[in-house]
Amino acid sequence: MTAKAARRRLNPAERREMILEEALRLFAERHYSVVTVRDIAMVCDINVGLLYHYFENKDDLVRCALGHAIEQLVAGYEQRRVATGNPRDEINAWLDAHISFAPTTALMVKLMSDYASAGTSDPAIEAMIAGFYAREKVLLEDALRRGIESGLFRPTDTAKTARRIGLMLDGIFHASASRRDDRIEEDVRDLGEFLDLMLTPQSDAA
């Protein structure tokens, strides 16, 4: 959904989603500290007063925009996670969600990075970011543990391996922004192939 959609009559849920998506884009493109509520209202083609009908202030909008991006990624993972409980499929579902929601996730990672470097403190944002990474840690560690117990994966330190996967995913998005090479999908798929190589028991890989 784009700001142009505001020119037709939107229901409240559609308008709120449109505002969040445009706000997230502006926050990531310019740095959230310099974006004003008026800037967001302008790109959404609505008046400032209407924007305040949905959000208390700019800080509330920053929190909600970040939360919206996180929710999309997590929901994408849940949709892709297969019911068989296969640990390899669950890890692949997490990687696939990062590919499918790459544009939004790239903005999310940029906003998180800008917040971390801003030197400010917002307990709600910090809890949101911590909660996101805690969820990633749990789902990866659980999949790795079950994969090892079933013999699907070779023995490994599940905590360290889960953290490495998370760090590599973050690194892919940061690298895409700094190098401007638009290789997110290719690099995430390469990461999946690398994990298959590293996790497959040696007898199976031979």
Side-chain angles (χ1 to χ4, degrees), residues 1-2 5-6 8-21 44 54 68:
M1 186 180 299
T2 66
R8 69 176 178 84
R9 190 172 184 82
L10 301 179
N11 65 47
E14 290 176 322
R15 183 174 289 110
R16 187 177 189 278
E17 181 179 0
M18 181 265 292
I19 294 171
L20 289 173
E21 290 177 354
C44 292
Y54 291 93
H68 180 65

Side-chain angles (χ1 to χ4, degrees), residues 24-56:
L24 181 65
R25 180 179 62 81
L26 286 182
F27 291 150
E29 286 180 355
R30 302 182 189 175
H31 196 290
Y32 75 96
S33 64
V34 301
V35 176
T36 67
V37 171
R38 186 171 297 278
D39 292 332
I40 298 167
M42 286 181 63
V43 299
C44 292
D45 196 22
I46 61 176
N47 63 60
V48 175
L50 181 58
L51 195 147
Y52 281 116
H53 174 73
Y54 291 93
F55 306 97
E56 294 180 8

Side-chain angles (χ1 to χ4, degrees), residues 90-137:
E90 291 184 12
I91 293 175
N92 287 338
W94 186 239
L95 301 183
D96 288 344
H98 280 75
I99 292 173
S100 297
F101 293 90
T104 298
T105 304
L107 300 177
M108 179 190 83
V109 171
K110 176 64 164 52
L111 180 53
M112 287 180 173
S113 179
D114 287 345
Y115 171 78
S117 64
T120 58
S121 178
D122 184 316
I125 290 179
E126 290 174 9
M128 203 179 301
I129 295 173
F132 170 74
Y133 285 115
R135 184 185 185 103
E136 178 182 64
K137 178 178 184 292

